[in-house]
Amino acid sequence: MTEPVRLPLIGDDTDDPLLQALFDRTRTSPHGRIPNLYRTLGHSPEMLDAWITFAWSLRADPVTPRSLRELVIVRIATIIGSAYELAAHRPMALDAGCGEAQVEQIGNWQARAELYADDELAALAVADRIATGDAIDPDEWSSLRSHFDERACVEIALTASFYVCVGRILDALAVPLETDR
């Protein structure tokens, strides 16, 4: 059962100049539209501004492959049960070059390890620990480090952690899925 929306979605136009600038920026981005998450977070324009700055830097400035980050995001969304995040990032994962079987089997990645490269397996193991809040096993971290330098390890950990946050805020605010997906 879907929860009722907790905050109204903000429409395309607003009297708040910061929020209007953020919405305009989002419309001209590769997204081309204002997601419902932003229409909800827009009730606090300063927080939305900080959110976009952080989220977009994770997307635009990394050294790790987009396909790897999308696998991590889809895995996080699967673990925490975020329908919105899954609906948004499954197509992004495919567009980034992830295999359809990789995306479909992400919930069972350990048993389907043959679908994933060794670096992807290492990142998924760490992502699982971040999503569940369990301590990262030293062997799992060692495996991650054998594939990635320090910057990439930070990116993977930040991506996993941020998308746990994304899923939690989507749930906390009961943000509805876009109807135009």
Side-chain angles (χ1 to χ4, degrees), residues 101-103 105 109 112-117 120-121:
Q102 287 182 305
V103 174
Q105 294 297 319
W109 68 267
R112 298 298 312 269
E114 73 279 1
L115 296 172
Y116 306 93
E120 293 168 337
L121 293 169

Side-chain angles (χ1 to χ4, degrees), residues 41-93:
L41 295 178
H43 288 285
S44 178
E46 293 79 10
M47 292 294 104
L48 176 59
D49 188 21
W51 182 279
I52 288 172
T53 298
F54 187 70
W56 290 13
S57 68
L58 276 176
R59 192 171 295 146
D61 300 329
V63 296
T64 53
R66 178 74 190 258
S67 58
L68 175 74
R69 293 187 323 276
E70 288 299 334
L71 280 178
V72 166
I73 294 165
V74 173
R75 178 61 183 157
I76 295 293
T78 300
I79 291 171
I80 66 174
S82 178
Y84 185 110
E85 219 170 332
L86 283 170
H89 283 276
R90 276 185 176 143
M92 288 181 185

